[in-house]
Amino acid sequence: MTVFVDPDFSPDALRQSLYDGNLIVLTRLPAVSDLVDYAREQLAELFSPHDPEHAHEHFGPPEMAKMLGVWKPAFIHSDRSKKLVCEIITQAGLPAEHTHYDVPKPRTSFPVGHLTTGVAFAFPWHRDVWYSAPAQQLNWWMPVFAARPDNSMSFDLPSFGQAVPNTSDAFDYYRNNASRLTTAAQVTKEVQARPGAVDHAPAHDLVVLPSPGSILLFSGAQLHTSIPNTSGRARYSIDFRTVDARDLAEGRGAPLADVHCTGTSIRDFHNVADGSAFNEDLVVRLFGAPPPDAMLVFAGPGSDEDG
Ligand SMILES: [Fe+2]
């Protein structure tokens, strides 16, 4: 496995490299800095006059959950966020007409002992494909302020493509959409189904810290975890996902060694060029017909936290 920084890859080679388990950091995309600046402005306003990295020293968990429960959906669905995400994708060289994306999610990680459930849940070792992401999903992750080894996330690269015991059999995407309606109200107790690895303790893990303005790309099949935040500072990051329509239709993607969940998140993705969703006939052919009463996409005002 390799961590590439600004590799000279064609768009096809870039995606294949990620499907093969490599990590890629891109440091030269102007739209990444623009999205980071936008998030910083919004956080400064939200927590004014306090420094967002120290906001947890001024707001208790219930108040923080309420503030983030309002701000996160507004950021996620703002036209500016979506426009900048589309610019990041095209500046990275991926073709708009073949690339579908999901809305950007701001994530918050507060120091241990503060808000760590609901809107600020810390994920255990997991693969996003255990949360019904397709094998073609690419994750794009960027820090809003300088990320640190004691407040970011970690990868277990040697487990890529290897079966790891996990609880993904308890996860169904459509049922989870229904239960997410209540996430923002959770302050002290975690009630959603959260697939994770069972007793996973890798001998070596890898932390990659792109600077603000850089972005880290990895396959949704990578095994990764949130690092419990002992830095004293709140960590803010933004991530979004993409799927290449040709790779989806033709079955090119990352290996799925240990995926036992049901349902698919594929209907969350929309085309960069024209905003269209994937054709439902194709979705049913690839993933099967959903139950008649399934909540196919999340339809509520909650916090949009997921894998
Ligand atoms: Fe994840």
Side-chain angles (χ1 to χ4, degrees), residues 123 126-128 131 139 153 218 222 224 241 306-307:
F123 285 92
H126 72 280
R127 308 184 195 276
D128 285 17
Y131 289 73
N139 291 24
M153 70 171 157
F218 60 99
Q222 283 286 3
H224 59 289
R241 299 87 186 272
D306 56 24

Side-chain angles (χ1 to χ4, degrees), residues 25-27 141-143 145-147 208-216:
V25 178
L26 302 177
T27 72
W141 184 91
M142 72 201 92
F145 302 101
V208 179
L209 298 175
S211 60
S214 300
I215 191 162
L216 169 66

Side-chain angles (χ1 to χ4, degrees), residues 254-270:
L256 301 181
D258 51 13
V259 176
H260 311 297
C261 51
T262 52
T264 175
S265 65
I266 198 69
R267 295 179 186 85
D268 293 345
F269 292 83
H270 292 87

